[in-house]
Amino acid sequence: MKKDAKKEPLCNSIAGEGCGLKKVINIVGGKWKIMILCVIDNNETVRYGELNRSIAGITNTMLANSLKELEKDGLVERKMYDEMPVRVEYTLTDKARSLIPILLELKKWGEDNL
């Protein structure tokens, strides 16, 4: 980097409302959301029971709440079929798919540094 070049700050207003990093952490932060995104990404379409079996230690309440939040934030699409018993499938939205390469970079960083 040249001496004259100005370094881009990670956040202009540290953890303020306009901080993009804080916005990302708010929607994918926590213990389970990234794991849920990983399972759906690996399988493309996943039913609730598959998610529950795939993520060791997650409770039904945490899975249900996390899925609702991911859906509300536009990262997961929920499709319910009019069948008996009711079948519900989850897929990633385009917004979530654009996040996957960033998560892969974080994964690589963790493997190299932790």
Side-chain angles (χ1 to χ4, degrees):
M1 182 191 307
K2 293 181 181 178
K3 279 190 171 186
D4 307 26
K6 188 174 180 184
K7 180 182 171 191
E8 180 182 355
L10 203 49
C11 277
N12 287 324
S13 59
I14 304 301
E17 245 179 75
C19 178
L21 189 57
K22 182 176 182 193
K23 290 176 186 178
V24 171
I25 291 169
N26 284 344
I27 66 168
V28 296
K31 189 173 180 178
W32 305 109
K33 289 182 180 178
I34 290 176
M35 289 184 197
I36 292 168
L37 294 175
C38 290
V39 172
I40 298 172
D41 181 58
N42 286 344
N43 297 285
E44 293 187 30
T45 300
V46 182
R47 293 178 69 179
Y48 184 90
E50 290 176 78
L51 278 167
N52 200 13
R53 286 188 297 276
S54 298
I55 303 170
I58 195 166
T59 64
N60 280 321
T61 302
M62 281 309 301
L63 179 55
N65 289 343
S66 296
L67 284 167
K68 284 178 190 170
E69 290 173 12
L70 288 166
E71 184 181 8
K72 179 183 69 77
D73 291 326
L75 296 177
V76 170
E77 185 176 293
R78 178 182 188 267
K79 186 170 184 180
M80 190 166 76
Y81 295 88
D82 191 21
E83 301 174 352
M84 283 314 237
V86 174
R87 178 170 53 118
V88 178
E89 294 179 341
Y90 297 92
T91 56
L92 297 182
T93 62
D94 289 341
K95 185 177 177 180
R97 281 190 283 281
S98 72
L99 182 60
I100 298 301
I102 297 162
L103 295 176
L104 287 169
E105 285 296 316
L106 281 173
K107 174 186 169 234
K108 183 179 179 338
W109 185 88
E111 291 168 350
D112 293 347
N113 294 285
L114 301 176

